[in-house]
Amino acid sequence: MPSGSAVRNLERAGISRSVAMKLTGHKTEAVYRRYAIVAESDLREAGARLAAALGTVAATASLSDSFGDNSVIAQKDSLNA
């Protein structure tokens, strides 16, 4: 079975999940997500891209990985500070 870095690289390359799952041989979303590890730097880059697209202040993000659940906690700077 492919390593987490293979799935992460496919996602970074913009390959759709359905195609990536075929390439890696993962038959279920649950197994695929186990290997789709999100790096802190990926979260920061996504926040910066979104902020640039919306023309807003960049968000800061941190990754909370408890029991394999990759969740994002984002805090935006106040626009009126």
Side-chain angles (χ1 to χ4, degrees):
M1 188 166 290
S3 70
S5 61
V7 171
R8 187 171 49 244
N9 289 338
L10 288 165
E11 290 204 349
R12 284 181 179 162
I15 306 300
S16 73
R17 182 167 289 189
S18 59
V19 172
M21 286 177 65
K22 289 282 189 183
L23 288 171
T24 60
H26 295 132
K27 298 196 184 331
T28 66
E29 289 278 332
V31 172
Y32 180 86
R33 282 192 311 266
R34 172 176 275 167
Y35 293 96
I37 300 163
V38 178
E40 186 78 25
S41 60
D42 294 334
L43 295 174
R44 282 192 296 274
E45 182 180 339
R49 285 184 180 185
L50 179 59
L54 297 175
T56 61
V57 177
T60 58
S62 66
L63 177 65
S64 172
D65 187 11
S66 59
F67 304 106
D69 175 34
N70 294 330
S71 58
V72 176
I73 302 168
Q75 300 173 343
K76 287 188 78 170
D77 295 332
S78 173
L79 295 175
N80 297 326

